[in-house]
Amino acid sequence: MSTQSQAFIAGAFEHPTRFAPDKSVAQLHAECARGALADAGLSIRDVDGYFCAGDAPDGNGPAMVDYLNLRLKHMDATEEGGCSYISHVGKAAQAIAAGKCSVALITLAGKPRSNKQATGTAYRWTGSERPHTVWEGLYAPTITAFYGMLTRRFMHERGATLEQMAWVKHSASLHAQHNPHALLQKVISIDEIMASPMVAEPMRRMDCCVITDGGGALVVTKPEIAKSLKRPLVGVKGYGDTIQIQGGNWNPFVESGAKYSGRDAFAMAGVTPADIQYASIYDNFTVNVLMQLEDLGLCGYGQAGQFAAEGNLIAGQGRLPWNTDGGGLCSNHPQNRGGITKVIEAVRQLRGEANAPVQVKDCELAIASGPGLVMGFGHAHATVILERL
């Protein structure tokens, strides 16, 4: 069932700040909400559906509803990590199609940079009752340690090289130089990336995303409302999400949930990977981009490294312009959750509102895709396919 005529993204807003020590997390949520609604030409009184995740203060969705003074018919606070907001686009489309709401607001915000969080080098789950903590907590594993092991295994199984992964960061920096809000606005050379300090062998610091404050918001509406607004029409054409389980620790270590969320999104949309003109792919680490490109079918298995090294991710040059805002690697990764910014940049591209040097000409079909939680063991994954109508 296509959602082409069932839901549209009418508003999108990315908070311009990357460092907000003077603001509360709730305030950032509210500023993002106000920005997305203004972009759509709507007000807080029009919202009757609200979607948030674990980044809401204390993970408390109802408290955000009260803070925003929303009068709702529907709410969803499903937590799936960084991809929650990609997933929420699909959930909002479903809720609208079912008549549960007409104007759905999705928000994300956080302040890890103000809180001096390091690049995934500290153990986060002290005192956690996650099922694996009793076995692994003793060794205090870190995010970078997981992705270092994942990088090594991906190189072994898929044939990628560290220099090819460096092309992912380099490509992101070529785009970020045109983004006045990007945290890193300097073009970063392959040599600079390869010479950056090791954080989790074989992964270097430049293979990691930035850490930023800020946030973003989206407004998803039913067709009648979208068509009454003075904004370009961006339809939610297909979506899919999944939980990639560990399978009793027998899961393929370097297979992401993109293989399944992408399959479902493409089937719903009735298009193929070859039809995609622009891609927003979650990029907390360079290896994640290569893995998802292959699992989504945007290039062949074992080919993503060479695909990136040939410049195919670079706008104005390559076959698949990617993360043209600079992505999480160079621009913004608010609250360590990059899902919402992926959808926002896809919307900009479809509207023709991306930064001029990286705008994809006549962009009509885009994908936004990414994981939540940590690759390499049980993680969520969501994909949406958007269309300019």
Side-chain angles (χ1 to χ4, degrees):
M1 178 180 65
S2 173
T3 61
Q4 180 175 335
S5 61
Q6 295 176 353
F8 293 80
I9 297 180
F13 177 81
E14 179 182 4
H15 206 291
T17 188
R18 302 296 185 262
F19 184 55
D22 59 329
K23 299 179 186 290
S24 70
V25 172
Q27 183 180 357
L28 288 169
H29 274 275
E31 291 177 0
C32 291
R34 182 172 59 192
L37 287 164
D39 179 62
L42 296 168
S43 75
I44 204 76
R45 293 184 299 275
D46 296 309
V47 176
D48 60 357
Y50 179 59
F51 295 75
C52 64
D55 60 286
D58 290 328
N60 192 326
M64 276 307 307
V65 173
D66 183 63
Y67 183 80
L68 294 171
N69 197 28
L70 298 174
R71 301 288 181 178
L72 300 180
K73 293 170 59 181
H74 182 72
M75 178 186 164
D76 190 327
T78 302
E79 163 59 19
E80 296 180 30
C83 71
S84 297
Y85 322 90
I86 303 174
S87 179
H88 279 326
V89 172
K91 290 181 172 67
Q94 289 177 322
I96 288 167
K100 294 182 177 181
C101 61
S102 298
V103 175
L105 172 66
I106 305 168
T107 68
L108 169 144
K111 298 174 54 178
R113 190 171 177 219
S114 290
N115 294 331
K116 298 180 172 58
Q117 189 171 100
T119 309
T121 55
Y123 181 53
R124 295 186 185 180
W125 300 301
T126 301
S128 165
E129 292 191 11
R130 298 185 183 201
H132 62 272
T133 301
V134 65
W135 308 107
E136 299 176 359
L138 177 66
Y139 304 98
T142 64
I143 298 295
T144 49
F146 279 118
Y147 280 94
M149 291 187 289
L150 188 64
T151 298
R152 178 61 71 193
R153 189 65 189 179
F154 186 81
M155 293 169 64
H156 173 73
E157 291 194 13
R158 305 277 183 93
T161 68
L162 292 175
E163 185 171 350
Q164 289 172 341
M165 291 183 199
W167 271 89
V168 177
K169 182 82 166 193
H170 175 62
S171 301
S173 74
L174 289 173
H175 298 155
Q177 68 175 317
H178 304 296
N179 182 353
H181 300 303
L183 185 67
L184 304 180
Q185 296 181 20
K186 170 184 173 291
V187 174
I188 307 169
S189 71
I190 301 297
D191 288 343
E192 287 175 304
I193 296 164
M194 295 294 289
S196 64
M198 194 77 68
V199 293
E201 199 279 334
M203 193 171 65
R204 294 171 168 82
R205 181 178 294 167
M206 286 293 180
D207 288 301
C208 306
C209 65
V210 298
I211 294 176
T212 55
D213 299 345
L218 297 161
V219 178
V220 185
T221 74
K222 66 180 183 180
E224 295 85 349
I225 292 176
K227 292 174 183 178
S228 73
L229 303 171
K230 296 178 181 180
R231 300 299 286 135
L233 291 174
V234 175
V236 182
K237 191 172 179 65
Y239 54 84
D241 57 19
T242 189
I243 302 296
Q244 177 82 334
I245 65 170
Q246 296 187 72
N249 286 328
W250 288 98
N251 68 317
F253 189 52
V254 295
E255 180 181 275
S256 75
K259 181 176 180 180
Y260 305 99
S261 70
R263 175 198 63 192
D264 293 346
F266 280 115
M268 178 180 287
V271 299
T272 71
D275 297 317
I276 298 298
Q277 296 168 282
Y278 166 77
S280 281
I281 307 296
Y282 202 119
D283 57 341
N284 51 349
F285 299 97
T286 55
V287 67
N288 242 357
V289 178
L290 300 185
M291 188 186 315
Q292 291 174 92
L293 286 171
E294 295 183 6
D295 288 345
L296 288 166
L298 295 169
C299 66
Y301 273 92
Q303 297 178 13
Q306 187 63 33
F307 186 83
E310 290 173 351
N312 282 303
L313 301 178
I314 302 170
Q317 169 182 329
R319 288 200 289 122
L320 186 67
W322 156 88
N323 289 19
T324 45
D325 58 341
L329 286 169
C330 291
S331 176
N332 195 13
H333 193 228
Q335 190 51 22
N336 304 309
R337 291 165 172 253
I340 204 161
T341 55
K342 300 299 167 280
V343 181
I344 291 168
E345 183 66 5
V347 170
R348 291 188 189 119
Q349 281 288 351
L350 292 167
R351 288 175 166 181
E353 297 174 353
N355 295 311
V358 296
Q359 175 65 53
V360 177
K361 185 179 179 181
D362 300 324
C363 188
E364 295 182 352
L365 199 64
I367 189 171
S369 186
L373 307 173
V374 182
M375 291 274 225
F377 64 94
H379 66 273
H381 201 283
T383 299
V384 294
I385 295 174
L386 305 176
E387 181 179 39
R388 187 185 71 200
L389 298 172

